[in-house]
Amino acid sequence: MHTFNRSASLNRRALTIGSPRVGRPTVVSRHYHVPIVIGFLFTFLLAISASYIFVVPSLKHTFNGDTSSQSNVSMSLCDVSDGGWIQDDSYPLYNASECPFAEQGFNCLGNGRTDDQYLKWRWKPKNCDVPKFDVHAVLEWLRNRRLVFVGDSMSRSQWESLICLLMTGVEDKKTVYELNGSKITKRIRFLGVRFSSFNFTVEFFRSVFLVQHGWMPRYAPRRVRSTLKLDKLDDISSHWVDTDVLIFNTGQWWVPGKLFETGCYFQVGSSLKLGMSIPGAFRVALDTWASWVERTIDRKRTSVFFRTFEPSHWSTSDQRSRSCNVTQYPILEASRRDQHVFADIAEEVVKNMSFPITLLRITSLSAFRIDAHVGNWSDNPSLPDCSHWCLPGLPDMWNEILLYYILTNHESPL
């Protein structure tokens, strides 16, 4: 505001000085014409200079964004979350039946789904392009590095997706193996796949809440069977450090059916918080996560990402009466599903951190993809699934966006 007022003031002053009173010309007035004109020109140039000094920087911030206050939400790149789905016949990028790390439960085509249109979509941001997946560029960038996913089963499906994507560029598939020979299961807490030809690992740690889940404290009411210690990060968090890329997510388990209905309530320190809401507890948990990142992670080495909440498409939130109706095509309007309180909370927490976090905003783009859910095409068709996603499918796009940020924000050796 001061910039424009100052310019206006200078302009008004110039008009006052440069506009002599109108009257009958005299000898004195004629002699004063020259200094008046010079004064007018001097004031005019002064106004122009002031406008350049004060107004131009303001306009620069308007068009380019104030990067000093927006670094934690990756505004140096375009807003990838603002866009639409376009058909692309070059997809899918792999065959889940040929990837040993794709769970059978997510292999919808292998489980009998006959239509394949859900595989033929690519997310197109309005103001930029997410480059097509270049497996050789990514494999080379990952050489001698460690990439870690931390979260729930949605994080595990993204982990599986990335491994399947990367394996398309590996000639000898036997050089890719799970570190402990473990099989993928829903409850396993650690899975790590090594690409020995490139000397890197892609790992997954199961931590559905990110904070510590503990047993019932002493003298708790009978309804309390366990608690989430909102001020304490998961006890396996020490394994998340010393990484090159770290991707977090949480959200699917922050629902009454996974918490209160199982006797799980919230705890801060030694105090039970029986009346705390789920969004309130989610905020406290993310604040705990943020403090741990600030304290523990080496910002010179590790790039940290937080992926926002992925929406489900059940007919209702009531688990006893809900149904799952998977469509053949994406929906045209995502209505209220493109916004979620957990995504808003994550945005606010990340914005207040001093550690540079990249927020992977996948909530709104995923909200359109009711066609991409597992539905009845899992390894247990009697239990329909409108929460998880087919592989190949939507998680591949999450990974393409992740790799876009990684390769853009780092100096690639290629």
Side-chain angles (χ1 to χ4, degrees):
M1 293 299 295
H2 294 295
T3 301
F4 293 101
N5 289 341
R6 187 175 304 168
S7 300
S9 175
L10 287 170
N11 286 333
R12 284 196 298 270
R13 203 172 301 157
L15 289 172
T16 302
I17 295 173
S19 302
R21 293 173 56 187
V22 177
R24 188 166 58 90
T26 64
V27 175
V28 175
S29 66
R30 283 194 299 269
H31 284 294
Y32 274 97
H33 283 171
V34 173
I36 287 171
V37 171
I38 294 174
F40 177 83
L41 290 173
F42 175 78
T43 307
F44 178 75
L45 292 173
L46 184 63
I48 293 295
S49 300
S51 298
Y52 180 82
I53 293 171
F54 295 106
V55 176
V56 171
S58 299
L59 291 175
K60 187 176 180 180
H61 282 301
T62 300
F63 291 115
N64 294 336
D66 187 354
T67 55
S68 63
S69 63
Q70 296 175 332
S71 60
N72 269 352
V73 288
S74 297
M75 293 302 291
S76 58
L77 305 177
C78 81
D79 184 3
V80 175
S81 66
D82 184 17
W85 289 96
I86 61 173
Q87 286 189 302
D88 189 329
D89 288 336
S90 68
Y91 287 81
L93 301 178
Y94 61 89
N95 184 339
S97 297
E98 297 174 359
C99 178
F101 299 100
E103 280 181 69
Q104 186 60 36
F106 299 152
N107 182 3
C108 297
L109 286 182
N111 292 327
R113 184 167 182 173
T114 54
D115 69 292
D116 64 355
Q117 285 302 309
Y118 71 97
L119 298 170
K120 306 293 185 180
W121 297 92
R122 176 170 62 87
W123 180 254
K124 172 65 175 71
K126 285 182 180 178
N127 299 315
C128 65
D129 281 307
V130 175
K132 285 291 189 72
F133 176 66
D134 184 342
V135 65
H136 299 293
V138 177
L139 286 170
E140 283 300 328
W141 189 90
L142 285 170
R143 188 184 291 276
N144 301 322
R145 287 183 162 100
R146 181 185 179 214
L147 186 147
V148 171
F149 289 92
V150 180
D152 52 28
S153 56
M154 302 297 173
S155 183
R156 190 179 73 246
S157 66
Q158 187 178 2
W159 171 82
E160 295 174 24
S161 159
L162 181 58
I163 293 170
C164 292
L165 286 167
L166 294 174
M167 286 191 71
T168 62
V170 177
E171 291 186 14
D172 186 359
K173 311 298 185 188
K174 294 180 181 178
T175 62
V176 181
Y177 56 88
E178 207 286 323
L179 292 170
N180 301 313
S182 301
K183 292 184 177 180
I184 300 174
T185 64
K186 293 180 178 180
R187 296 287 179 177
I188 193 166
R189 296 219 70 185
F190 170 75
L191 289 162
V193 169
R194 177 176 171 78
F195 287 71
S196 58
S197 299
F198 296 86
N199 191 34
F200 71 81
T201 58
V202 181
E203 302 170 28
F204 164 71
F205 288 89
R206 183 177 184 269
S207 180
V208 297
F209 297 110
L210 299 184
V211 291
Q212 182 62 40
H213 184 213
W215 296 110
M216 173 185 66
R218 274 186 165 190
Y219 310 116
R222 184 173 297 178
R223 59 177 164 152
V224 179
R225 298 179 182 176
S226 64
T227 62
L228 279 186
K229 298 180 180 180
L230 301 176
D231 56 344
K232 185 179 185 301
L233 212 63
D234 198 321
D235 58 7
I236 62 172
S237 58
S238 61
H239 297 287
W240 308 342
V241 298
D242 297 326
T243 60
D244 296 286
V245 181
L246 196 49
I247 307 106
F248 292 93
N249 97 288
T250 185
Q252 288 290 333
W253 283 61
W254 292 85
V255 292
K258 300 284 189 180
L259 292 167
F260 306 144
E261 293 175 20
T262 67
C264 181
Y265 290 83
F266 306 124
Q267 180 178 346
V268 177
S270 58
S271 301
L272 277 175
K273 303 293 181 180
L274 298 179
M276 182 178 282
S277 69
I278 289 178
F282 186 83
R283 173 60 191 257
V284 176
L286 283 201
D287 283 338
T288 298
W289 164 82
S291 297
W292 178 86
V293 170
E294 304 266 21
R295 232 179 24 249
T296 310
I297 300 301
D298 180 3
R299 69 179 64 204
K300 293 181 180 179
R301 176 185 175 183
T302 307
S303 297
V304 179
F305 296 81
F306 190 95
R307 180 170 58 73
T308 61
F309 181 79
E310 57 290 306
S312 58
H313 291 89
W314 296 97
S315 59
T316 176
S317 58
D318 186 351
Q319 293 189 9
R320 291 163 295 187
S321 60
R322 66 185 185 180
S323 60
C324 174
N325 298 309
V326 176
T327 61
Q328 188 173 355
Y329 300 100
I331 55 177
L332 296 177
E333 293 185 8
S335 65
R336 292 175 297 173
R337 296 182 189 275
D338 62 347
Q339 298 295 329
H340 196 284
V341 64
F342 291 165
D344 295 339
I345 291 172
E347 183 102 24
E348 185 65 27
V349 169
V350 166
K351 192 177 295 184
N352 291 328
M353 294 175 67
S354 63
F355 192 104
I357 304 289
T358 301
L359 201 64
L360 296 175
R361 299 183 184 87
I362 58 89
T363 305
S364 58
L365 68 90
S366 302
F368 295 95
R369 298 306 309 277
I370 190 173
D371 61 315
H373 282 294
V374 169
N376 295 311
W377 299 284
S378 71
D379 52 353
N380 187 358
S382 63
L383 295 175
D385 188 347
C386 261
S387 296
H388 295 93
W389 311 90
C390 298
L391 290 181
L394 180 62
D396 304 330
M397 198 67 239
W398 300 347
N399 279 320
E400 289 195 77
I401 293 172
L402 168 68
L403 295 170
Y404 163 67
Y405 280 113
I406 289 176
L407 297 179
T408 305
N409 285 332
H410 293 80
E411 291 184 5
S412 174
L414 301 181

